[in-house]
Amino acid sequence: MAKVGAWLVVHLVVLAVAFVLFVGSQLRLGLDSFLSTAAGGRLEALGVEVAADLAETREDSWEKIVNSHVSKYGLEGILLPDRDFDPKERSEGRIPVSVMSALKKKLPPPGADRLDPPPFPGDRMPPSDGPPGDFRGPRGEGPRGDATTDRRSEALFLIRDPDSGNYWAALQLRIGSQRGRLSERAFLFLKSEDASAGGLFFDYRPWLFGGLAVLALSLLMWAPFVFGITRYAGRISAVTERISEGHFDAKIGISRRDELGQVGESIEEMSARLGQLISGQKRFLADVAHELCAPLARMRTGLGILEAGAEGKTADRIVSIEEDAGELSLLISELLAFTKSNAAEVKLETIALGEFLTGISARELAGHEVKIEIPAELRVTADRKLLTRAVQNIFRNCHRHAGEDCEVRIVTFLSDGMVEFTISDNGSGVPDEEYARLFEPFYRPDKSRTRDTGGTGLGMAIVESSIRACGGRVSAGRSSMGGLLVSISLPEG
């Protein structure tokens, strides 16, 4: 989900950058095109308001009228009447050369009557019975055939001054006369430091709302699809994790008719087959262990009888055979313990962890230094027999590999309703690459087959199966004391 979300953000950023570049190029190269859109209508509407107010006031108040209208947009307004229009004298340097050049291109040809300006492009002549100063065509139509268009204002151009970077708009106004005389023409220049001009030149809000609408629509269209994929992928991840912990009956619970659905079905089928193979293997080991118990008992009984009457080298050989039989008996006992930890009925109960570990360490690690840092009130939920077997095996490994100088430290942590306690020793430890296989049956990091250090290779496997049967997890790593660290997580009691 995070990757999909990140990719969506990148996609939107690319679109936004492309949009900004496009708009930027339009604002620099084709600003006049905005006059054919709503921007032209807004400018002409402003010009109509200004022209109407100017017609009702004296000329010495025109500058104040203009400023009152344009200041609400954060603009600077300059009004130049047409009667004595001379760009060099009247602009007083306030209007850039590029703006004046654009205006010259829009001026009427030489010799035109400035007091009675020619009609705007597309205007129709007023009817003979119309009132003076009325510049509408028949039926009140404007130049675009729009009955609502007031021809007292026309947007001439919208440009960007290359020197200052400011944006300029020019309007041609017709200021009517209160005394019935013909109207006169004036030019209104609007200066803005940005392309928006308070929404007058360029209103970004429709673009913003449009972009948000597109984004919302995209999310509505893609969210169910993405959520369905990520939800199923999450279920696959959870099921495979449970399978890795030995829960081969885990099910995804959702069916799909696509490639992900095929993967899910294959995982469930693989899990079922693994469960059958492992259960068959454990059942075989249990049957073999039980079958070996009887002949091994008879062998040891016979060896005991022979040992009673043997002398010299014969007696020594019988003792050696008896030791081998004892090792075989230990292996069978470990096999039985391993199979029972997987097949025994689990009886969960609440156990006071500190008291429990203190009692076992007193028996298994007598004479060694043991530090237990566990609150007295901390409790876990587990099967007492299985947990006892697991902890005993860990303590015996500590004694076996650390020897007489064995030091053991036990500490606890709480995380999401689970109690994690670690058992560390100062023994020789194991190589880092061996930790992943430490809980495999019959796997021994020490390849020696001696009775002292070889072991059976089932001790840590019994730990793992016992803790898993209690609903917990176990892992191994390097201890800060230099030896092995075994971490066990169990549900809090």
Side-chain angles (χ1 to χ4, degrees):
M1 182 67 77
K3 289 182 179 179
V4 172
W7 184 250
L8 176 61
V9 170
V10 171
H11 173 70
L12 295 176
V13 169
V14 171
L15 290 180
V17 171
F19 171 75
V20 170
L21 293 177
F22 171 75
V23 172
S25 64
Q26 291 297 310
L27 292 178
R28 286 169 172 78
L29 301 178
L31 293 178
D32 278 349
S33 61
F34 284 94
L35 297 182
S36 61
T37 64
R42 290 193 295 269
L43 285 169
E44 292 183 356
L46 175 63
V48 169
E49 294 177 3
V50 173
D53 286 351
L54 294 179
E56 300 295 330
T57 59
R58 297 172 55 184
E59 185 173 348
D60 56 4
S61 301
W62 282 4
E63 183 177 355
K64 182 178 181 181
I65 295 296
V66 170
N67 289 332
S68 66
H69 280 280
V70 302
S71 60
K72 59 184 178 182
Y73 297 101
L75 306 178
E76 178 183 346
I78 303 174
L79 182 70
L80 297 181
D82 186 45
R83 63 175 68 94
D84 301 312
F85 185 68
D86 184 344
K88 294 183 179 180
E89 295 179 0
R90 300 301 300 272
S91 64
E92 299 177 356
R94 298 166 62 190
I95 303 176
V97 175
S98 60
V99 178
M100 300 306 300
S101 299
L103 179 62
K104 289 179 181 181
K105 297 178 182 179
K106 298 290 183 177
L107 288 175
D113 186 358
R114 296 181 180 231
L115 295 179
D116 187 12
F120 283 22
D123 269 356
R124 300 178 184 179
M125 295 301 295
S128 58
D129 57 348
D134 185 359
F135 294 94
R136 292 183 175 274
R139 299 181 304 279
E141 293 180 353
R144 300 184 181 92
D146 183 359
T148 64
T149 302
D150 192 327
R151 296 312 303 156
R152 285 180 293 177
S153 171
E154 180 187 21
L156 297 179
F157 59 81
L158 177 61
I159 65 172
R160 180 176 181 268
D161 178 35
D163 296 329
S164 64
N166 294 325
Y167 294 85
W168 289 82
L171 298 174
Q172 182 175 230
L173 306 182
R174 289 179 179 176
I175 305 173
S177 173
Q178 291 178 318
R179 301 177 180 177
R181 296 182 308 179
L182 293 176
S183 67
E184 66 174 305
R185 181 171 60 177
F187 299 99
L188 176 60
F189 297 91
L190 303 176
K191 173 187 173 183
S192 173
E193 295 181 354
D194 58 78
S196 173
L200 186 63
F201 295 174
F202 179 77
D203 190 0
Y204 68 89
R205 289 175 297 179
W207 296 89
L208 176 61
F209 295 149
L212 293 176
V214 170
L215 174 60
L217 182 61
S218 300
L219 292 177
L220 288 176
M221 292 181 62
W222 282 95
F225 173 72
V226 173
F227 179 73
I229 291 178
T230 54
R231 180 188 180 194
Y232 196 81
R235 284 181 172 268
I236 289 178
S237 176
V239 166
T240 52
E241 183 176 355
R242 286 182 57 80
I243 292 174
S244 68
E245 295 174 353
H247 302 281
F248 299 105
D249 57 344
K251 299 293 182 182
I252 295 178
I254 299 179
S255 60
R256 292 176 63 97
R257 296 183 179 181
D258 56 10
E259 289 80 358
L260 280 177
Q262 294 175 3
V263 171
E265 293 176 359
S266 299
I267 289 176
E268 290 184 348
E269 183 178 353
M270 176 192 68
S271 176
R273 291 184 178 181
L274 284 175
Q276 294 174 359
L277 290 173
I278 292 179
S279 62
Q281 179 191 51
K282 292 177 179 178
R283 185 166 55 251
F284 171 77
L285 290 175
D287 292 343
V288 169
H290 280 96
E291 293 298 327
L292 289 176
C293 284
L296 180 61
R298 292 194 294 269
M299 286 174 57
R300 300 192 71 177
T301 301
L303 287 173
I305 295 174
L306 290 175
E307 186 179 5
E311 296 180 356
K313 293 183 178 181
T314 302
D316 294 338
R317 290 177 179 177
I318 292 176
V319 171
S320 178
I321 295 173
E322 173 63 26
E323 291 177 354
D324 291 336
E327 186 176 350
L328 181 59
S329 176
L330 176 62
L331 175 60
I332 293 174
S333 299
E334 292 289 324
L335 279 174
L336 290 174
F338 176 66
T339 56
K340 287 180 180 179
S341 65
N342 288 277
E345 181 180 356
V346 179
K347 298 179 180 179
L348 299 178
E349 59 179 291
T350 300
I351 301 173
L353 187 60
E355 180 182 351
F356 174 81
L357 293 176
T358 300
I360 298 179
S361 63
R363 297 193 303 269
E364 300 294 336
L365 297 175
H368 297 295
E369 183 179 351
V370 181
K371 296 181 180 179
I372 301 178
E373 301 175 7
I374 300 177
E377 68 277 4
L378 190 61
R379 285 167 169 72
V380 296
T381 301
D383 183 291
R384 185 175 292 272
K385 291 183 179 180
L386 293 177
L387 185 57
T388 299
R389 185 177 296 148
V391 174
Q392 283 178 340
N393 282 356
I394 296 174
F395 284 166
R396 289 168 184 170
N397 275 344
C398 294
H399 172 74
R400 180 182 295 117
H401 295 288
E404 297 298 328
D405 297 328
C406 174
E407 295 181 11
V408 177
R409 183 184 178 188
I410 305 174
V411 296
T412 60
F413 309 91
L414 290 175
S415 175
D416 297 331
M418 300 290 287
V419 176
E420 179 181 357
F421 63 97
T422 60
I423 303 175
S424 308
D425 64 48
N426 64 337
S428 57
V430 298
D432 293 340
E433 63 272 13
E434 304 288 349
Y435 292 128
R437 303 189 60 189
L438 201 59
F439 300 99
E440 294 180 7
F442 300 107
Y443 180 77
R444 294 180 293 183
D446 186 355
K447 305 303 180 182
S448 172
R449 292 281 182 173
T450 64
R451 298 183 181 93
D452 295 332
T453 61
T456 63
L458 286 172
M460 298 305 289
I462 292 174
V463 172
E464 192 275 335
S465 59
S466 297
I467 297 301
R468 177 164 41 82
C470 294
R473 298 184 303 272
V474 62
S475 60
R478 181 172 298 278
S479 167
S480 60
M481 302 168 64
L484 181 68
L485 179 145
V486 179
S487 176
I488 297 176
S489 295
L490 290 170
E492 186 176 3

